[in-house]
Amino acid sequence: GAVVSQHPSWVICKSGTSVKIECRSLDFQATTMFWYRQFPKQSLMLMATSNEGSKATYEQGVEKDKFLINHASLTLSTLTVTSAHPEDSSFYICSASRDRGYNEQFFGPGTRLTVL
Amino acid sequence: GNSVTQMEGPVTLSEEAFLTINCTYTATGYPSLFWYVQYPGEGLQLLLKATKADDKGSNKGFEATYRKETTSFHLEKGSVQVSDSAVYFCALSDGGSQGNLIFGKGTKLSVKP
């Protein structure tokens, strides 16, 4: 149980285009989903936290107009990178929690984004 | 602010060797501490956790003790196996309203037969 999937697992896009990444909790209802970004040999950096039906809370320094997060249901959250640029290339990881993260977050396998 | 520092990898060991991966933290208040493991091609999985000082988390032969006096949470295993090869992340939760996690950079472990 507690499986989280991400789609796609990797994506290559041209500069200026938008890319949508999906995060799904497959066998539980996720009250809260988290989006992280990971640079090579760096730790995971929290980008934003989203509660189902509410606007996402973004961490300081993360552009909310560039990284659009939607958490429309208890099993699906999406991250859209708008007008992507090469500096947005990274590994994006989502996690989901049944209880707003108090006890455990369950992580997806990540999505590798490369912007040409 | 809160932060986690863990030893740089990669770490390469022979099977049945003893493993230690060091982790120290900086935090205000009383954070919870975690070790996550990421096997190749998979998402991070919670390996063990400790929520207060002197607690010992353990799972799958791995152990870590929450040491408030040294602000450490070192991961240990007495005899590693090839199947333990993965990236290990130390993390803390500052106990905020959303349980936000702050991660170390990760340590890649390779175990050779």
Side-chain angles (χ1 to χ4, degrees):
Chain A
V3 178
V4 176
S5 70
Q6 279 185 244
H7 178 80
S9 55
W10 59 270
V11 58
I12 301 172
C13 69
K14 293 183 179 180
S15 186
T17 61
S18 294
V19 174
K20 180 184 283 188
I21 302 170
E22 292 186 349
C23 176
R24 293 182 184 271
S25 57
L26 298 185
D27 51 5
F28 68 101
Q29 293 187 325
T31 305
T32 305
M33 286 185 168
F34 303 82
W35 286 95
Y36 295 84
R37 183 173 178 176
Q38 184 180 26
F39 294 98
K41 299 185 179 181
Q42 299 291 322
S43 59
L44 282 72
M45 303 297 294
L46 180 65
M47 298 175 65
T49 302
S50 71
N51 294 309
E52 184 265 338
S54 302
K55 288 185 177 180
T57 302
Y58 289 82
E59 295 299 300
Q60 194 171 10
V62 178
E63 299 176 60
K64 61 181 180 182
D65 294 332
K66 180 165 190 61
F67 298 99
L68 300 179
I69 292 172
N70 184 280
H71 190 170
S73 78
L74 285 171
T75 59
L76 174 64
S77 177
T78 60
L79 167 67
T80 301
V81 183
T82 62
S83 187
H85 291 283
E87 57 265 29
D88 299 324
S89 299
S90 192
F91 196 56
Y92 293 89
I93 301 173
C94 75
S95 72
S97 171
R98 295 185 179 97
D99 56 5
R100 296 182 180 269
Y102 290 134
N103 284 309
E104 186 170 354
Q105 296 179 29
F106 301 97
F107 287 81
T111 297
R112 171 75 60 193
L113 170 63
T114 301
V115 184
L116 302 177
Chain B
N2 297 341
S3 65
V4 174
T5 303
Q6 63 181 104
M7 63 187 286
E8 299 253 348
V11 174
T12 302
L13 296 173
S14 297
E15 209 166 19
E16 299 184 2
F18 184 86
L19 169 71
T20 299
I21 300 178
N22 290 336
C23 172
T24 57
Y25 67 91
T26 301
T28 54
Y30 304 95
S32 294
L33 302 174
F34 306 81
W35 276 101
Y36 282 84
V37 58
Q38 185 176 31
Y39 298 104
E42 299 183 15
L44 276 74
Q45 301 173 26
L46 179 64
L47 181 59
L48 53 86
K49 68 177 182 181
T51 58
K52 61 182 187 297
D54 299 326
D55 268 3
K56 177 185 284 188
S58 61
N59 185 25
K60 299 181 180 179
F62 291 89
E63 292 183 339
T65 301
Y66 189 143
R67 301 284 189 201
K68 192 171 187 300
E69 63 276 14
T70 55
T71 61
S72 65
F73 193 55
H74 305 321
L75 182 68
E76 297 182 335
K77 186 174 185 180
S79 177
V80 295
Q81 305 299 313
V82 172
S83 57
D84 294 325
S85 298
V87 181
Y88 293 83
F89 292 89
C90 185
L92 71 81
S93 172
D94 60 7
S97 61
Q98 293 278 71
N100 294 347
L101 290 171
I102 298 170
F103 287 89
K105 292 184 178 182
T107 302
K108 184 175 181 179
L109 170 67
S110 295
V111 180
K112 306 297 184 185

